[in-house]
Amino acid sequence: MKALDELTFDNRFDRLGDAFSAHVLPEPIDNPRLVVASPAAMALLDLDPSVAETPEFAELFSGHKLWADAIPRAMVYSGHQFGSYNPQLGDGRGLLLGEVYNEAGEHWDLHLKGAGQTPFSRMGDGRAVLRSSIREFLASEALNALNIPTTRALCVIGSDTPVWREKQERAAMILRLAPSHVRFGHFEYFYYTKRPEQQKELGDHVLAMHFPQCLEQPEPYLAMFREVVERNAELIAKWQAYGFCHGVMNTDNMSILGITFDFGPFAFLDDFDANFICNHSDDQGRYSFSNQVPIGQWNLSALAQALTPFISVEALRETLGLYLPLFQAHYLDLMRRRLGLTTAEDDDQKLLESLLQLMQNSSVDYSLFFRRLGDQTPEQAITRLRDDFVDLKGFDAWGELYVARVSREGTLDQEQRRQRMHAVNPLYILRNYLAQNAIDAAQNGDYSEVRRLHTVLSNPFEEQPGMESYAERPPEWGKHLEISCSS
Ligand code: AMP
Ligand code: MG
């Protein structure tokens, strides 16, 4: 375990120089205090969880204090937002404080979001509000607990600093951890500003730091692109399997490492709805739940375009072609497991699609359905779940197919089936209304609810005594919260 001042910095991105980022100091927020910290994320930096309670911790992650070896930098990037190219984005309110190595030799970027204005702030105030910081914190740690690749969150620090959104709110900062903060938009920036040398420097950096295995391939850039395609296909398969809606899949919010990145108005599905739009500002539904799959491909083609100086169009096209089949394979594999199936049959896709259609028609709670399916034998579970469906005939027909399908896997022990299914079907999900309750309390100075919710979500597959209310269907108001981009 390390003390806070013992972190080992090695600021590799800083060494790329001023064409890639600008040196900016964080602007402190007033009366900083710990809202919530993640012991699991602290462990990634070898920090003892108890240091979160020290004044130094709040000072470091609110811009009041800086490590001697940290060189804070705002990165420059661009990107396609809602389908249109924006030539200049960049860290407008976040800073890469520095890069840290842990004792296991793992590398972590420390990114402080809400750290004040930078040369890339455009019209923005450089701040993040408490509400959005809590949402990002909870989502990062909840996704990680669901085994979905994501940036991590170390802590949220609250303050008295006023900020103006639709109304006056308070500023907060969140400390985000990731092995890299390079986005698709980084490559687009150097491509569209026609600076192939710097783009190559960036590509070589990413290859050396994150994809060293690709350097041994005959075409390292192509191998890297293939990795990005594979990782994103798997990531989006996991989002779809667990009902996660990102909300703002702009190319500047897509990680080169294929991890969930830059949380805005995200949501986990309550009722299953393929057309669900979680972002109140997304009028066209470009980033609706089911559109995430083709948008993943669209974003990868935007990255491919930016890589045309280095890779032939033919090779890029062929590699892009891997995305959909890979997505399908991962998705079906995960959904088979969620259904408690251990073998593969040709008709499994059909079985799954007809279930989702029935769930859609009857507004069935997506997460609880799968959890309950594993609680009892297939026959018992079907009998119990039937009440949630409006189209009883349709569900009965599906139930028969499902029971027959399970029985073709051979006799099985119900206890084993339950354990296997519960290990992939969470009982606790970050529902919007749960986040909202925690935010309402935190805005009144009570951080106990956000801390409790974080603890529950850190162990989503295990039943936790006394936490039954977190595993219930949401109240009606909780399904209709309007979450916008404003954060
Ligand atoms: P986001 O929607 O958080 O992914 O942000 C999109 C772009 O807007 C990024 O370049 C952000 O840095 C920038 N941005 C968002 N909010 C602010 C803000 N309050 N102040 C300055 N820049 C911001
Ligand atoms: Mg962003």
Side-chain angles (χ1 to χ4, degrees):
M1 285 294 162
K2 286 182 176 170
L4 270 170
D5 57 3
E6 288 173 342
L7 296 183
T8 312
F9 283 83
D10 181 17
N11 304 313
R12 308 176 307 192
F13 200 85
D14 161 71
R15 291 199 286 275
L16 285 173
D18 291 338
F20 299 85
S21 62
H23 181 42
V24 184
L25 289 173
E27 234 177 278
I29 44 179
D30 301 333
N31 293 327
R33 58 231 175 214
L34 179 71
V35 174
V36 61
S38 164
M42 291 178 73
L44 299 172
L45 303 183
D46 308 314
L47 292 173
D48 187 301
S50 64
V51 304
E53 305 294 338
T54 61
E56 197 188 8
F57 189 84
E59 284 164 12
L60 280 165
F61 300 120
S62 61
H64 286 269
K65 215 176 151 180
L66 201 61
W67 292 268
D69 296 336
I71 309 173
R73 283 193 161 270
M75 292 170 141
V76 61
Y77 51 82
S78 62
H80 281 84
Q81 298 183 307
F82 289 89
S84 313
Y85 186 64
N86 187 331
Q88 165 103 53
L89 292 162
D91 290 334
R93 55 164 166 176
L95 296 174
L96 179 60
L97 288 182
E99 304 175 48
V100 166
Y101 275 89
N102 66 15
E103 275 161 5
E106 288 168 352
H107 166 105
W108 291 100
D109 280 4
L110 304 192
H111 178 99
L112 190 61
K113 190 164 174 178
Q117 286 175 317
T118 77
F120 314 114
S121 295
R122 297 174 293 158
M123 306 298 280
D125 59 7
R127 293 302 188 197
V129 294
L130 181 61
R131 152 177 69 82
S132 64
S133 306
I134 288 177
R135 280 172 52 83
E136 170 155 357
F137 177 90
L138 290 172
S140 314
E141 295 306 281
L143 284 168
N144 178 64
L146 292 171
N147 303 314
I148 300 179
T150 176
T151 55
R152 300 296 302 273
L154 189 82
C155 64
V156 174
I157 305 294
S159 80
D160 290 337
T161 302
V163 285
W164 190 258
R165 294 296 180 260
E166 284 86 8
K167 56 182 182 359
Q168 186 178 294
E169 299 189 45
R170 300 286 168 194
M173 291 189 195
I174 173 169
L175 195 284
R176 176 162 78 190
L177 299 173
S180 168
H181 275 71
V182 174
R183 307 148 189 257
F184 289 10
H186 275 89
F187 285 93
E188 293 182 281
Y189 177 76
F190 292 105
Y191 171 72
Y192 287 103
T193 52
K194 300 196 167 56
R195 285 187 273 176
E197 286 97 40
Q198 279 160 347
Q199 201 189 7
K200 186 166 182 314
E201 249 186 282
L202 175 74
D204 290 347
H205 174 85
V206 171
L207 272 166
M209 302 301 151
H210 307 292
F211 302 112
Q213 70 283 11
C214 296
L215 286 167
E216 284 149 33
Q217 298 295 317
E219 284 191 70
Y221 275 68
L222 178 57
M224 172 172 75
F225 181 62
R226 191 183 166 123
E227 276 274 346
V228 181
V229 169
E230 288 172 356
R231 288 179 184 217
N232 277 282
E234 185 166 356
L235 175 70
I236 294 170
K238 289 186 170 179
W239 288 356
Q240 301 310 112
Y242 283 98
F244 178 77
C245 205
H246 180 285
V248 201
M249 284 176 72
N250 294 333
T251 57
D252 53 302
N253 293 339
M254 297 293 290
S255 152
I256 206 78
L257 299 184
I259 58 183
T260 315
F261 200 87
D262 256 19
F263 299 83
F266 68 85
F268 282 89
L269 295 182
D270 290 309
D271 296 348
F272 181 77
D273 179 7
N275 307 316
F276 185 69
I277 302 166
C278 63
N279 181 353
H280 186 56
S281 324
D282 182 6
D283 301 325
Q284 309 292 316
R286 179 181 172 86
Y287 300 139
S288 73
F289 180 63
S290 57
N291 274 358
Q292 296 191 123
V293 182
I295 286 292
Q297 178 156 9
W298 194 96
N299 288 343
L300 286 163
S301 353
L303 175 63
Q305 179 66 43
L307 293 175
T308 48
F310 308 100
I311 310 169
S312 76
V313 170
E314 203 176 43
L316 285 167
R317 279 226 176 91
E318 196 181 307
T319 309
L320 263 177
L322 300 173
Y323 169 81
L324 267 183
L326 276 174
F327 164 82
Q328 269 304 335
H330 283 300
Y331 177 69
L332 197 55
D333 178 54
L334 277 166
M335 294 313 289
R336 278 197 184 103
R337 286 196 266 156
R338 296 206 71 181
L339 286 166
L341 304 174
T342 53
T343 57
E345 284 190 11
D346 288 347
D347 281 348
D348 289 346
Q349 174 85 26
K350 264 208 242 151
L351 186 73
L352 174 64
E353 278 170 11
S354 55
L355 171 65
L356 294 179
Q357 189 60 57
L358 286 160
M359 289 174 92
Q360 169 102 26
N361 296 347
S362 297
S363 302
V364 171
D365 190 88
Y366 185 62
S367 301
L368 284 180
F369 177 87
F370 289 99
R371 183 72 182 191
R372 289 183 180 152
L373 193 61
D375 275 341
Q376 295 168 300
T377 66
E379 294 84 352
Q380 289 166 335
I382 293 295
T383 308
R384 175 175 167 209
L385 284 163
R386 162 175 211 276
D387 294 343
D388 292 341
F389 289 81
V390 178
D391 176 5
L392 290 177
K393 236 171 103 190
F395 184 69
D396 287 345
W398 185 84
E400 269 179 45
L401 288 175
Y402 175 71
V403 170
R405 172 69 183 84
V406 175
S407 70
R408 285 198 296 279
E409 302 218 320
T411 41
L412 86 170
D413 177 81
Q414 170 52 24
E415 182 48 26
Q416 269 180 4
R417 172 183 140 89
R418 193 184 67 83
Q419 280 182 21
R420 205 177 53 220
M421 287 182 74
H422 283 8
V424 290
N425 292 325
L427 180 59
Y428 308 106
I429 280 288
L430 177 56
R431 299 178 185 275
N432 257 339
Y433 93 97
L434 291 173
Q436 193 57 46
N437 285 342
I439 289 165
D440 290 344
Q443 283 174 336
N444 289 321
D446 174 4
Y447 304 139
S448 60
E449 183 55 23
V450 59
R451 292 178 188 189
R452 190 159 45 242
L453 182 55
H454 164 237
T455 307
V456 171
L457 295 172
S458 299
N459 211 354
F461 301 107
E462 297 282 326
E463 203 165 326
Q464 297 168 48
M467 298 299 170
E468 293 76 16
S469 64
Y470 293 90
E472 284 168 6
R473 292 192 71 160
E476 211 40 46
W477 67 266
K479 295 184 190 172
H480 308 292
L481 288 167
E482 286 180 352
I483 312 285
S484 73
C485 267
S486 133
S487 61

